[in-house]
Amino acid sequence: MTEEKSLNFLEEIVENELKAGTYKSIITRFPPEPNGYLHMGHAKSICLNFGLALKYGGKTNLRFDDTNPVTEETEYVDGIKNDIKWLGFEWSQELYASDYFEKLYEFAVTLIKKGLAYVDDGSSEEIAKQKGTPTQAGTDSPYRSRSIEENLKLFSEMRSGKYRDGEKVLRAKVDMAHPNMHMRDPLMYRIKHAHHHRTGDAWCIYPMYDFAHGQSDAIENITHSICTLEFIPHRALYDWFIEKLEIYSSHQYEFARLNMTYTVMSKRKLLQLVNEGHVRGWDDPRMPTLSAVRRRGYTPESIREFCDKIGVAKRENLIDVGLLEFCVREHLNKIALRRMVVFDPLKVVITNYPDGKSEMLSGENNPEDVSTGNRDIPFTKEIYVEQDDFMEVPAKKYFRLAPGEMVRLKSAYIIKCEEVIKDQAGKVIELRCTYIPESRSGSDTSGLKVKGTIHWVSLAHAVTAEVRLYDRLFNVENVGDMEGDFKEYLNPDSLQVLSTVYAEPAIKSAILDERFQFLRKGYFKLDPDSASEKIVFNRTVTLKDMWAKEVKKG
RNA sequence: UGCCCGAUGGUGUAACUGGCAACACGCUUGAUUUUGAUUCAAGAAAGUCCAGGUUCGAGCCCUGGUCGGGCAACCA
């Protein structure tokens, strides 16, 4: 277990600081804004923040960054908490930036008193114009030189609701000519007469991200405030506020966000997919949200493994979704119960098997874990096999059923195809086969060796179910790189529903949390849409399929 | 005409902080297999963006370029 793994740059920083005695322990935080559901990118951040604290004996706070009342909802708060728990992490404290509104207000007053903040009456357009451009210095606002007394009075009036939205803002007095645009007198507070999901109507002024995040970090004594690359330019401001306020000196570090092939990873785009009905909801199994991958059947273990494998660095990346699928298969292979399910049935009559006879065969629940035992599988004269497990004119290297050919029925007998029955249209509708009684699984004395083993299900015992097959949501690797509307690249065939498949009877006892491997078909999990009359399975991920590759090669 | 990040096989991440580039996914081939799965074995694939410099020695340090990304929401 203690295999030497190299440290990522953040672990290295922490380890060095701990060694140097800069800190005796660390505190991190995971700070989602409750305006949407968590996705795989958040999983990376969660694993990083919680993982760092776990590894170095610190703790992690869950802090909702709820400073914008118009986009935030309690529904999202609950969803986020649920997702983090599901991933397997425990936060130290559940906190909200809104818990600090009074404190933040005091901080603002402190800065006004120091002559480092002022109330600006300009419109957002005017203020934007004064900011200049990246290559051109900004100009001072006419309100920049207001007296401390006047600023104090105005700011207090802003709080008391004297002004309408947009009428005034509070700005930090930094430097309108600063090369970093974020330092050109950034906004600290804006007026929003809006109902907040936690503070209700107590406030009509709300702090901006830059005047809430670092301050919240300081209040909580966060040692390492880890965020994504796009916040790099904010760091100077982050430090400036902390310095001027003379509060706990938290530090910000940045890492590259997760991008994955064939999907999008921005709340804005995901929200669009939901709102415009391109998917059925935030938890549509094709989505990259945690609620979706959970519904689809991905395990928290596999996601944590994935996050571990992708590493943490500062360069932009595009991770092959295949790596995630590999992690999912790797875990599912170990825990999934094996079942046989025929998707596209072809009837097979075993001519030399007695009419009306039924015998119980036994199959391993999971060859990777013998402790899971066996399940009973009924065998009869009439069974279903998969249409594509028969070829009238077999392709080269095809070793399944074909006229005169033999295959093993998994956990049962070897059969030989004797006769092909077709309808008027020439479509194969039935196979007449003979079975080799001595080839019974587990007690095979036939001495026969066959190349193919296929799955099957007894026609009389088959349980029907619906199966939902998922493919990539988009049909281009790098969706973010494409021109035009990203929705043009949606894969129209990302969902395929098979309304009736035929499963062996053991499937009836399936419960929601169980994972299955439908032999040769992939990994599956019950969908919450299931009802007693109709059970529904989601395909979590396919099995690796070398034969499909062979076929494609021609 | 600015400031800030970054650049290592197809992808992602490493390289004991200057000692002759590793791991994983993917790919290829073979073995095993009552899942064309799993497992196992072997292999192809980068000479580290470029040019100089320092050094016995540079992916790591220095200089200058090139390329990619970010920065002007009363969003976070």
Side-chain angles (χ1 to χ4, degrees):
Chain A
M1 256 342 259
T2 40
E3 91 189 39
E4 268 314 313
K5 220 201 142 200
S6 55
L7 305 175
N8 65 48
F9 78 101
L10 287 165
E11 292 171 326
E12 204 162 297
I13 288 169
V14 170
E15 217 156 88
N16 287 337
E17 286 169 340
L18 254 20
K19 214 173 288 169
T22 314
Y23 304 106
K24 55 186 187 323
S25 68
I26 63 165
I27 307 180
T28 59
R29 104 269 90 117
F30 174 63
E33 182 187 10
N35 67 346
Y37 284 86
L38 263 27
H39 53 60
M40 288 299 298
H42 294 106
K44 177 178 181 180
S45 172
I46 290 168
C47 290
L48 211 206
N49 277 296
F50 284 86
L52 219 42
L54 242 26
K55 179 165 184 175
Y56 295 103
K59 54 184 190 175
T60 305
N61 287 341
L62 168 60
R63 182 173 71 233
F64 289 96
D65 230 335
D66 56 350
T67 56
N68 186 0
V70 304
T71 57
E72 297 152 6
E73 291 170 33
T74 305
E75 172 201 342
Y76 295 128
V77 170
D78 298 335
I80 289 168
K81 285 160 65 178
N82 189 34
D83 287 343
I84 299 171
K85 281 189 226 159
W86 175 74
L87 254 192
F89 294 101
E90 274 175 47
W91 51 87
S92 171
Q93 296 182 77
E94 176 184 335
L95 301 164
Y96 295 78
S98 56
D99 292 340
Y100 310 133
F101 280 172
E102 190 62 47
K103 187 74 187 163
L104 262 13
Y105 181 84
E106 286 169 27
F107 283 154
V109 169
T110 300
L111 288 184
I112 294 174
K113 285 180 177 165
K114 285 189 166 189
L116 293 173
Y118 62 97
V119 173
D120 197 317
D121 300 359
S123 66
S124 67
E125 294 75 27
E126 285 164 347
I127 290 175
K129 210 158 155 199
Q130 289 159 9
K131 290 223 170 172
T133 71
T135 55
Q136 253 179 297
T139 51
D140 286 0
S141 159
Y143 305 99
R144 199 172 200 264
S145 49
R146 283 220 248 238
S147 71
I148 290 173
E149 292 66 36
E150 191 184 4
N151 282 320
L152 250 15
K153 174 171 162 284
L154 258 17
F155 186 50
S156 160
E157 288 174 350
M158 279 169 63
R159 176 180 182 168
S160 66
K162 184 167 177 184
Y163 306 108
R164 286 163 300 157
D165 289 10
E167 228 179 306
K168 287 184 165 38
V169 292
L170 184 71
R171 290 228 257 168
K173 194 186 284 186
V174 189
D175 177 2
M176 289 305 290
H178 199 106
N180 179 345
M181 296 292 293
H182 288 274
M183 297 298 272
R184 324 246 259 229
D185 289 12
L187 266 61
M188 294 165 60
Y189 270 91
R190 77 289 215 188
I191 299 170
K192 272 182 197 280
H193 291 272
H195 189 83
H196 186 278
H197 72 111
R198 296 190 80 241
T199 60
D201 300 311
W203 294 84
C204 63
I205 57 170
Y206 292 92
M208 300 288 292
Y209 166 85
D210 286 306
F211 196 65
H213 204 97
Q215 291 58 40
S216 303
D217 286 340
I219 290 167
E220 295 171 26
N221 283 196
I222 301 298
T223 54
H224 301 263
S225 180
I226 301 165
C227 58
T228 46
L229 256 27
E230 62 271 27
F231 289 96
I232 289 178
H234 295 252
R235 190 173 62 227
L237 225 203
Y238 182 102
D239 292 339
W240 189 88
F241 279 130
I242 283 178
E243 183 202 325
K244 301 304 181 196
L245 254 10
E246 298 173 65
I247 52 182
Y248 182 83
S249 182
S250 297
H251 290 281
Q252 176 184 305
Y253 303 86
E254 310 87 8
F255 71 99
R257 69 175 335 128
L258 168 68
N259 296 298
M260 277 201 301
T261 53
Y262 300 105
T263 192
V264 292
M265 208 75 83
S266 95
K267 273 193 207 168
R268 200 194 96 246
K269 288 178 180 166
L270 295 175
L271 183 64
Q272 233 179 102
L273 294 177
V274 172
N275 286 345
E276 295 173 18
H278 296 102
V279 294
R280 287 179 37 183
W282 283 101
D283 66 345
D284 184 302
R286 292 166 291 181
M287 293 277 274
T289 55
L290 296 183
S291 46
V293 299
R294 172 169 63 236
R295 181 172 181 176
R296 181 165 174 160
Y298 288 17
T299 60
E301 290 90 336
S302 60
I303 293 172
R304 281 189 254 122
E305 175 68 16
F306 170 72
C307 289
D308 192 55
K309 277 190 153 71
I310 59 176
V312 179
K314 297 191 76 157
R315 67 186 92 103
E316 306 229 354
N317 58 75
L318 180 63
I319 307 242
D320 188 344
V321 69
L323 181 61
L324 211 208
E325 294 176 342
F326 167 82
C327 294
V328 172
R329 287 191 189 102
E330 189 181 44
H331 185 220
L332 257 18
N333 178 47
K334 292 192 192 112
I335 64 164
L337 303 177
R338 313 295 138 120
R339 296 291 183 262
M340 292 196 286
V341 181
V342 173
F343 285 13
D344 187 12
L346 173 61
K347 185 176 170 184
V348 170
V349 177
I350 297 162
T351 54
N352 60 339
Y353 196 83
D355 289 334
K357 180 180 174 182
S358 164
E359 69 180 303
M360 229 21 129
L361 301 174
S362 178
E364 301 159 298
N365 275 319
N366 185 350
E368 306 286 322
D369 179 4
V370 290
S371 74
T372 55
N374 285 44
R375 89 278 188 191
D376 290 333
I377 314 166
F379 185 79
T380 55
K381 187 184 180 80
E382 295 188 329
I383 61 171
Y384 282 141
V385 299
E386 214 68 65
Q387 284 278 3
D388 54 342
D389 281 338
F390 171 78
M391 272 185 108
E392 191 166 17
V393 185
K396 54 272 159 224
K397 289 197 271 183
Y398 182 84
F399 38 85
R400 306 178 194 174
L401 273 177
E405 296 295 325
M406 292 198 286
V407 292
R408 155 79 59 185
L409 295 175
K410 176 72 181 175
S411 300
Y413 300 93
I414 291 173
I415 58 169
K416 182 176 182 186
C417 178
E418 309 282 3
E419 190 183 352
V420 178
I421 307 213
K422 300 178 185 177
D423 63 11
Q424 288 100 318
K427 185 181 184 254
V428 177
I429 53 166
E430 187 181 313
L431 261 27
R432 295 283 166 87
C433 298
T434 52
Y435 85 116
I436 317 308
E438 312 78 60
S439 66
R440 184 176 152 142
S441 202
S443 53
D444 186 349
T445 56
S446 71
L448 293 169
K449 283 216 63 155
V450 292
K451 283 178 292 184
T453 300
I454 64 174
H455 58 99
W456 55 276
V457 55
S458 164
L459 197 147
H461 301 267
V463 176
T464 59
E466 175 177 310
V467 151
R468 297 174 184 168
L469 308 176
Y470 303 103
D471 198 354
R472 349 223 92 148
L473 227 201
F474 291 87
N475 48 33
V476 291
E477 262 202 347
N478 194 342
V479 185
D481 228 31
M482 305 305 290
E483 313 245 301
D485 187 352
F486 75 101
K487 295 191 292 306
E488 286 171 33
Y489 304 97
L490 243 8
N491 174 7
D493 305 316
S494 58
L495 170 64
Q496 189 191 351
V497 177
L498 304 181
S499 55
T500 311
V501 301
Y502 300 87
E504 62 169 284
I507 212 71
K508 276 186 288 193
S509 60
I511 58 169
L512 197 54
D513 281 338
E514 254 170 339
R515 309 310 161 109
F516 297 97
Q517 184 197 102
F518 293 174
L519 252 51
R520 308 204 299 139
K521 286 293 183 186
Y523 294 98
F524 291 80
K525 176 186 180 295
L526 226 41
D527 188 88
D529 282 351
S530 296
S532 51
E533 335 76 75
K534 176 154 207 174
I535 52 177
V536 178
F537 283 95
N538 291 318
R539 184 172 67 195
T540 307
V541 63
T542 59
L543 256 28
K544 212 168 131 186
D545 191 351
M546 295 305 273
W547 172 245
K549 212 171 280 176
E550 196 68 38
V551 170
K552 206 178 281 178
K553 274 195 273 184

